[in-house]
Amino acid sequence: DLPDAPVHVEGDRTRLAQVLGNLLSNAIKFTEPGGRIEVSVREQPGAKAVRLAVRDTGAGIEPALAGRLFQPFSQGDTGLVRGKGGLGLGLALSKALVELHDGSIEVASGGAGRGSEFVVMLPVCAERPAAASGGAKPVAQKRKRILVVEDNDDAAETLRVALEMAGHHVDVAG
């Protein structure tokens, strides 16, 4: 569900696409065949913001998990079989990227089996970006030095790459 006219935000196209891709990937992963996934974009004129929402009819989120869902390595109860589980980093990374764009991300769900909705709010660009600007402007951020301690080499490397892409200096220890 898109607006009639384009709305613009100033940001890193690749990182914002990464956020949307993560939200869609999660919606697909946790929505059974025959379910519904909706994406909407709307300008919020009073808030001078763009509202991007991804809503699904999937597994839903328990209220106890919603409060910690954006923390690294947080995952719902997947039992002994982790067929749908990832590393628990996607939403934490998405939140960090959205906040680097001076935005916010929230989740709402009616509970288990009742679907979920993730809402990203981003500031509207003050003026329309130039059409010929070959790339996105870098996002202003505080560069952090981070130590990743992880015994799974693949997980450590994935986290290292993601954090370095966000502009941080990362050291890894097994």
Side-chain angles (χ1 to χ4, degrees):
D1 180 20
L2 301 174
D4 294 330
V7 293
H8 299 277
V9 297
E10 184 172 341
D12 183 322
R13 177 185 306 239
T14 302
R15 298 299 152 243
L16 293 175
Q18 186 177 6
V19 170
L20 177 58
N22 182 59
L23 296 179
L24 288 172
S25 176
N26 283 348
I28 291 165
K29 188 185 312 184
F30 294 104
T31 300
E32 296 297 325
R36 185 169 172 86
I37 298 170
E38 300 173 352
V39 178
S40 65
V41 176
R42 287 284 176 248
E43 186 170 354
Q44 306 290 297
K48 295 184 181 178
V50 174
R51 179 184 191 274
L52 165 69
V54 176
R55 177 185 296 204
D56 64 61
T57 59
I61 300 166
E62 292 290 344
L65 178 61
R68 60 183 166 87
L69 198 59
F70 295 104
Q71 296 174 3
F73 307 110
S74 286
Q75 298 176 325
D77 180 18
T78 56
L80 296 176
V81 179
R82 297 188 49 89
K84 292 186 179 182
L87 295 174
L89 296 173
L91 290 174
L93 181 59
S94 294
K95 181 178 190 225
L97 292 172
V98 167
E99 288 177 348
L100 288 171
H101 286 82
D102 294 324
S104 64
I105 184 170
E106 296 180 354
V107 63
S109 176
R114 302 191 63 187
S116 60
E117 180 179 39
F118 287 83
V119 176
V120 174
M121 298 291 284
L122 295 165
V124 172
C125 189
E127 57 187 57
R128 184 177 171 173
S133 69
K137 294 181 182 178
V139 177
Q141 66 180 1
K142 287 185 177 180
R143 183 180 165 116
K144 295 180 181 175
R145 186 166 181 193
I146 299 170
L147 173 62
V148 174
V149 180
E150 173 60 59
D151 62 352
N152 180 310
D153 291 339
D154 291 336
E157 179 65 8
T158 300
L159 184 54
R160 182 192 65 76
V161 169
L163 291 168
E164 285 179 350
M165 287 173 32
H168 302 293
H169 174 80
V170 181
D171 291 307
V172 177

